[in-house]
Amino acid sequence: MKMTGKFITFEGPEGSGKSTHIKLLKAFLEERGIEVVLTREPGGTPLGEEIRKILQHDHTEPPVPSAEVLLFLASRAQHVERLIRPSLEQGKWVLCDRFADSTFAYQGYGRGFDMASLRAVNAFAVSGLRPDLTVLLDVTPETSRARLAVRQASTATTPDRIEREAAAFHERVRNGFLALAAEEPERLVVISTERDPAEVAAAVRQAVERLPLKLPLNPLPGCSGSRQ
Ligand code: TMP
């Protein structure tokens, strides 16, 4: 079946502001009459959410690195087939908090898995699905650590298994995301979140307005279609 909706993914290191900005974009699109599905990885389906718990929480037996890759990909396969592709076929726009670029950044650049193998196993899971646009929200490791500390203090939570990785791991992940964006600049738009959140939101909207659209998007006042 032909897909008519748009698939937009949000990526970035921990504390990059994805959840805030994905919600702002959802509201912006809905104001323009677009039906939006907001989802996330790992997760997005009942099975995916169970896999998320396994991946994030402490168990007597943490997954070995290759099992970790396959768990993320199992969640993705279920998500693509059960939620993302059907929603796109119904003309909905799917906004997804993390997708394949997280696997390449975290398991590839972070854990050191061979990129060709990761691309092959990801291709198996997504069967040809590719985001129309990926918003890469960039943040320095220092800001990322500071934001995580504030979030954990305000929500009284402790860092999960991946958040607890060493600073060097998170630095490799951030550099990995930037390398992925340099390889595919037409799909991945890098937006620094080290500035006023309103400016970040405007930059996200501008990236979306550049997509070839079926529905006209009327820019909000103060958000012209001009490129930065
Ligand atoms: P978050 O959605 O709250 O950011 O948490 C997801 C965590 O899982 C985050 O630490 C990044 C990590 N992750 C991977 O390592 N590989 C993946 O493929 C995905 C989707 C997420």
Side-chain angles (χ1 to χ4, degrees):
M1 196 191 285
K2 197 175 172 325
M3 294 205 282
T4 52
K6 295 280 172 203
F7 181 33
I8 302 177
T9 58
F10 277 64
E11 299 278 9
E14 319 287 328
S16 55
K18 290 179 291 95
S19 42
T20 302
H21 288 288
I22 204 168
K23 284 186 205 133
L24 290 174
L25 179 62
K26 177 176 188 277
F28 171 78
L29 293 171
E30 285 175 343
E31 277 170 26
R32 279 146 190 82
I34 295 173
E35 211 175 327
V36 177
V37 174
L38 176 55
T39 186
R40 66 175 181 181
E41 286 207 1
T45 64
L47 176 63
E49 292 295 327
E50 288 301 315
I51 296 173
R52 182 182 181 94
K53 285 184 206 150
I54 296 174
L55 281 161
Q56 290 195 326
H57 299 298
D58 293 310
H59 297 274
T60 44
E61 187 189 15
V64 296
S66 53
E68 181 187 79
V69 170
L70 295 171
L71 285 165
F72 279 117
L73 272 293
S75 167
R76 184 161 308 142
Q78 189 78 7
H79 197 198
V80 168
E81 189 157 333
R82 284 292 161 90
L83 182 71
I84 301 177
R85 209 184 283 279
S87 302
L88 294 171
E89 285 171 357
Q90 290 161 17
K92 296 175 188 163
W93 285 40
V94 177
L95 306 185
C96 190
D97 188 336
R98 299 197 182 280
F99 194 65
D101 297 300
S102 278
T103 309
F104 304 141
Y106 282 82
Q107 281 65 51
Y109 287 92
R111 298 246 189 267
F113 271 101
D114 162 60
M115 205 56 84
S117 309
L118 287 180
R119 287 195 189 280
V121 74
N122 182 66
F124 178 65
V126 304
S127 48
L129 183 70
R130 185 175 179 271
D132 294 294
L133 170 71
T134 296
V135 176
L136 172 53
L137 295 181
D138 184 46
V139 67
T140 61
E142 297 71 37
T143 305
S144 168
R145 275 195 294 277
R147 286 183 187 168
L148 268 190
V150 169
R151 187 167 77 201
Q152 278 150 15
S154 67
T155 56
T157 50
T158 50
D160 68 33
R161 206 172 52 81
I162 293 178
E163 287 168 349
R164 281 201 307 271
E165 286 290 338
F169 172 88
H170 290 289
E171 215 152 302
R172 289 197 299 278
V173 168
R174 185 220 182 180
N175 292 335
F177 274 127
L178 293 174
L180 292 165
E183 273 171 35
E184 271 188 273
E186 73 296 342
R187 175 175 66 85
L188 279 122
V189 175
V190 185
I191 298 173
S192 167
T193 61
E194 310 250 355
R195 56 182 160 154
D196 189 87
E199 281 177 39
V200 176
V204 171
R205 292 196 297 262
Q206 285 185 1
V208 171
E209 285 170 337
R210 278 154 44 193
L211 281 170
L213 300 172
K214 288 219 169 353
L215 290 166
L217 280 180
N218 302 316
L220 286 177
C223 176
S224 74
S226 64
R227 309 215 344 217
Q228 282 182 330

